[in-house]
Amino acid sequence: IRTAAVLRRIYLRQGDGCGALGKIYGGRMNRGSAPHHHKTASASVLRSAMKGLEEMKLVAKHPDGGRMITSAGRRDADRIASQVMSRHSVVQTDATETVAEE
């Protein structure tokens, strides 16, 4: 799981911990000829991703459990999202102009 995806999920839902994120990032378990069942993602991977984000001061422990995003983390996430949206709008504008010229 990419750490940026974990940061985004914590940004959207403050207080989520390893268990909640494991349910989100989990998938279906292949049980052979039996029907698929949901399997939670590895808590170890999620825990290490959240610890890395804590070391970078992007998330902190929530008082009620789980993690919450810090002001620095919110600022960085907003800055990156605005850069992505500005690049996305430029690509869309270029695509519509070339179609209009033809």
Side-chain angles (χ1 to χ4, degrees):
I1 298 170
R2 296 183 57 183
T3 308
V6 173
L7 179 66
R8 178 183 176 273
R9 186 57 64 174
I10 294 172
Y11 182 99
L12 295 174
R13 291 185 54 171
Q14 302 284 323
D16 275 0
C18 292
L21 292 173
K23 290 176 191 172
I24 293 167
Y25 289 115
R28 61 186 198 170
M29 179 181 170
N30 186 355
R31 303 188 317 139
S33 60
H36 297 292
H37 283 212
H38 186 267
K39 181 80 171 161
T40 56
S42 171
S44 174
V45 174
L46 290 166
R47 198 177 313 108
S48 63
M50 287 191 282
K51 283 185 179 182
L53 290 169
E54 275 190 76
E55 289 176 7
M56 294 188 298
K57 307 276 192 247
L58 298 177
V59 299
K61 292 193 176 180
H62 196 276
D64 297 330
R67 301 293 200 287
M68 64 181 186
I69 195 160
T70 61
S71 59
R74 185 175 297 276
R75 182 182 63 236
D76 287 349
D78 288 340
R79 179 180 49 81
I80 292 167
S82 65
Q83 289 175 355
V84 168
M85 286 303 295
S86 67
R87 287 185 183 163
H88 183 67
S89 64
V90 169
V91 170
Q92 278 187 331
T93 306
D94 291 343
T96 56
E97 287 176 5
T98 56
V99 171
E101 291 173 4
E102 294 176 1

